[in-house]
Amino acid sequence: MSDVGPTAVIVLAAGEGTRMKSRTPKVLHTIGGRSLIGHAITAGRAASPEHLVVVVRHQRDRVVEHIVEFDEQVVIADQDEVKGTGRAVECALKRLPDDLAGTVLVTMGDVPLLTGETLRGLAAAHAESGSAVTVITASVTDPTGYGRVLRDPHGLVAGIVEHKDATAEQRLLTEVNSGLYAFDAAFLRSALAEVGTDNVQGEKYLTDVLAIARARGLHVGAHLVDDLWQTEGVNDKVQLARLGAELNRRTVEQLMRDGAIVIDPATTWVDADVTIGPDTVVHPGTQLLGATTIGADCVIGPDTTLKDVEVADGATVVRTQAELASIGAGATVGPFSYLRPGTQLGDGGKIGGFVETKNATIGKGAKVPHLSYCGDATVGEGANIGAGTIFANYDGVTKGRTDIGPHSFVGSNSVIVAPRTIGAGSYVAAGSAVLKDVRPGQLAVTRAQQRNVDGWVARRRAGTPAAAAAQAAQTASAASAASDDSDATGMPQGPDPKDATA
Ligand code: UD1
Ligand code: CA
């Protein structure tokens, strides 16, 4: 057998999922940052079929919209009003070529831990054994609700009986149908035509196809999977969380095997598509979500949430919330930083404590170290934005951009009112409200000149602790000036004359 891969994978996702008690269709709930149906499609694709079909019905339009966004090559099959897994597969086959040959795999849209590797194993075992059907079975301690695998006196699979249709004796069987199968395509099509709806649920059961195979003298194989997580479905939100935690455990374990250092896997939540380079240390309480990619030798966390963030090698990101941002090599972010979409921090740059950024390109080695809002801005290479600087990007009607030239220096507690350009290598004095552009090399100062009014506290705040403290300091400095007049610092300092020329 040269090619044992499946011709088609059919994913069943038409059911209502009432036990989820949710307005969201069951298969659109997510674990590891990916919908349940997304997991099913990913596993199906990994088996490299020619066709991948998803059967839909419940909340059809919402589900289809999501599927097409996830994988536009998926063939959508609509199930009609006839109920049951057998009917679902029949509807899928109608969307495939009439002369479809080879192996058809059937999986479920709500079994998210199933891997492509397991599906490939199923297809290979099926092809090798020459069976008409091969079903993945599992031995479980509580088989309630599952279809039971019936075996003949030779131990061969004779059929499957649904829990609801089973006798008390059959219900004692603990080998269950996982709902994952490989079929010979031509056999599947002809057998489904024979399946009726004469059962407790009045549904067309896919499982009836197994007994039909035996009746035709064909072989039915059982493929045992030890890893029960891979066959477990999501029926309610308790299972959703349970499988979500297990998926996370597996994802984090794989990342560690690939070289990441994760201090506390239990409090580290990582989505399925995230990558982390070797020797990056991930501290407790970290969430790495969406399409986040982290380079090598980084320090991430503790208590950090990154969604769709790109972090280059050697960066440090501590106690930070960031989304759709990129952080350059060797850059540092946090603690307590909030990077909103469109933030790009250059190599060796810094976004420090209590800084919020949005649509901001902060150049190589540039620093926004403390207590700032930096929105709709470009900060040139090597620039330094002083503590408490606010980029006033919104005038109540429109948003404006701020452009800070390379190696310029913005003094603390300045407000830069956009749209504004601060030229290369220029300075803004601390406490300025910048309303005019600044040309390269200029100093901008907008604050009023400082006046120090002698004796004001003594006159206007007599009897206060401030007045007493001032009095004591003046007495002490007068005494020291008398004893050592070479170090007379008791004079109140006037404004720096160089700062007062603008
Ligand atoms: C099914 C199997 C059962 C197996 C169990 C494993 C049948 C008759 N029974 O039972 O032997 O132990 O799965 O979990 O197949 N679906 C459709 N269209 C439908 C009905 C269901 O697409 O008309 C889809 C659902 O969306 C779901 C899957 O098929 O993804 C299974 O449906 P569900 O109703 O959960 O089947 P079970 O009763 O659990
Ligand atoms: Ca089920």
Side-chain angles (χ1 to χ4, degrees):
M1 217 152 300
S2 60
D3 180 20
V4 296
T7 310
V9 171
I10 297 173
V11 182
L12 307 187
E16 276 189 47
T18 43
R19 280 176 285 167
M20 287 299 279
K21 302 215 171 90
S22 175
R23 271 189 270 225
T24 302
K26 172 161 77 176
V27 293
L28 298 197
H29 282 270
T30 62
I31 62 172
R34 192 188 281 160
S35 64
L36 299 182
I37 191 69
H39 285 288
I41 291 168
T42 303
R45 279 279 176 239
S48 314
E50 262 171 64
H51 314 275
L52 197 155
V53 189
V54 179
V55 186
V56 296
R57 178 172 162 82
H58 179 69
Q59 295 207 51
R60 185 243 180 235
D61 290 346
R62 265 185 85 180
V63 175
V64 169
E65 190 189 1
H66 172 78
I67 291 172
V68 171
E69 201 182 309
F70 188 84
D71 180 342
E72 57 179 13
Q73 307 294 331
V74 165
V75 177
I76 302 292
D78 283 287
Q79 187 171 355
D80 54 19
E81 55 293 330
V82 179
K83 287 193 167 171
T85 48
R87 184 58 176 179
V89 171
E90 222 169 15
C91 294
L93 290 175
K94 280 191 204 145
R95 300 282 283 115
L96 294 171
D98 288 336
D99 58 353
L100 189 77
T103 300
V104 174
L105 299 181
V106 174
T107 73
M108 312 242 199
D110 56 2
V111 182
L113 264 49
L114 177 72
T115 65
E117 205 182 332
T118 297
L119 284 179
R120 285 195 299 271
L122 169 65
H126 175 76
E128 270 161 39
S129 68
S131 303
V133 189
T134 304
V135 55
I136 293 185
T137 70
S139 289
V140 296
T141 42
D142 179 14
T144 309
Y146 284 102
R148 306 300 203 282
V149 176
L150 307 177
R151 294 202 178 240
D152 68 16
H154 306 288
L156 299 172
V157 177
I160 289 169
V161 60
E162 288 307 291
H163 180 93
K164 286 179 179 156
D165 300 296
T167 63
E169 202 181 331
Q170 288 169 331
R171 284 185 184 181
L172 296 175
L173 298 169
T174 54
E175 188 185 7
V176 301
N177 169 25
S178 67
L180 308 165
Y181 324 78
F183 296 97
D184 173 74
F187 162 74
L188 178 62
R189 200 187 289 275
S190 77
L192 279 170
E194 272 182 42
V195 174
T197 56
D198 182 17
N199 52 55
V200 170
Q201 305 189 81
E203 294 185 0
K204 195 162 180 166
Y205 289 164
L206 178 61
T207 44
D208 285 356
V209 164
L210 278 73
I212 291 170
R214 290 302 304 272
R216 292 190 193 174
L218 300 169
H219 186 257
V220 176
H223 188 65
L224 205 79
V225 167
D226 295 329
D227 180 10
L228 293 182
W229 290 103
Q230 289 206 39
T231 63
E232 194 169 322
V234 172
N235 292 305
D236 58 28
K237 286 169 177 160
V238 175
Q239 278 175 314
L240 185 72
R242 196 178 120 80
L243 291 185
E246 177 60 16
L247 175 64
N248 186 63
R249 199 192 63 71
R250 291 176 179 215
T251 302
V252 171
E253 186 174 304
Q254 187 58 49
L255 289 167
M256 290 189 290
R257 295 206 186 285
D258 293 343
I261 299 166
V262 179
I263 304 297
D264 183 15
T267 63
T268 302
W269 288 80
V270 184
D271 279 353
D273 292 329
V274 171
T275 59
I276 304 179
D279 290 329
T280 282
V281 180
V282 181
H283 287 284
T286 295
Q287 292 175 285
L288 304 175
L289 310 176
T292 294
T293 61
I294 314 258
D297 300 311
C298 296
V299 176
I300 309 293
D303 302 329
T304 291
T305 298
L306 307 181
K307 179 157 192 246
D308 302 322
V309 174
E310 205 178 308
V311 182
D313 294 350
T316 297
V317 185
V318 177
R319 287 187 213 281
T320 290
Q321 174 97 27
E323 182 169 354
L324 283 167
S326 73
I327 296 167
T332 63
V333 177
F336 308 109
S337 307
Y338 180 25
L339 278 56
R340 292 166 53 200
T343 298
Q344 289 180 289
L345 177 61
D347 294 352
K350 179 182 178 75
I351 295 174
F354 304 100
V355 172
E356 176 177 331
T357 60
K358 184 209 73 175
N359 272 336
T361 302
I362 298 167
K364 256 193 204 168
K367 294 180 167 57
V368 190
H370 330 272
L371 300 155
S372 287
Y373 173 64
C374 177
D376 299 315
T378 305
V379 175
E381 185 177 327
N384 187 89
I385 308 300
T389 298
I390 302 297
F391 290 60
N393 61 329
Y394 185 51
D395 63 8
V397 182
T398 51
K399 298 238 166 107
R401 286 199 66 87
T402 297
D403 190 347
I404 309 267
H407 302 288
S408 45
F409 183 99
V410 176
S412 296
N413 195 35
S414 296
V415 53
I416 299 169
V417 180
R420 195 65 51 229
T421 300
I422 310 281
S426 59
Y427 272 60
V428 171
S432 297
V434 182
L435 295 151
K436 287 190 279 190
D437 287 353
V438 181
R439 286 195 303 278
Q442 287 186 321
L443 166 72
V445 191
T446 74
R447 59 190 181 221
Q449 223 180 81
Q450 182 173 338
R451 278 197 312 138
N452 291 353
V453 181
D454 279 335
W456 188 91
V457 173
R459 289 194 304 279
R460 308 297 292 266
R461 294 292 182 270
T464 63
Q471 178 64 56
Q474 281 161 353
T475 307
S477 81
S480 85
S483 67
D484 175 15
D485 53 8
S486 69
D487 186 25
T489 54
M491 289 288 289
Q493 272 186 289
D496 178 348
K498 294 193 292 301
D499 270 2
T501 52

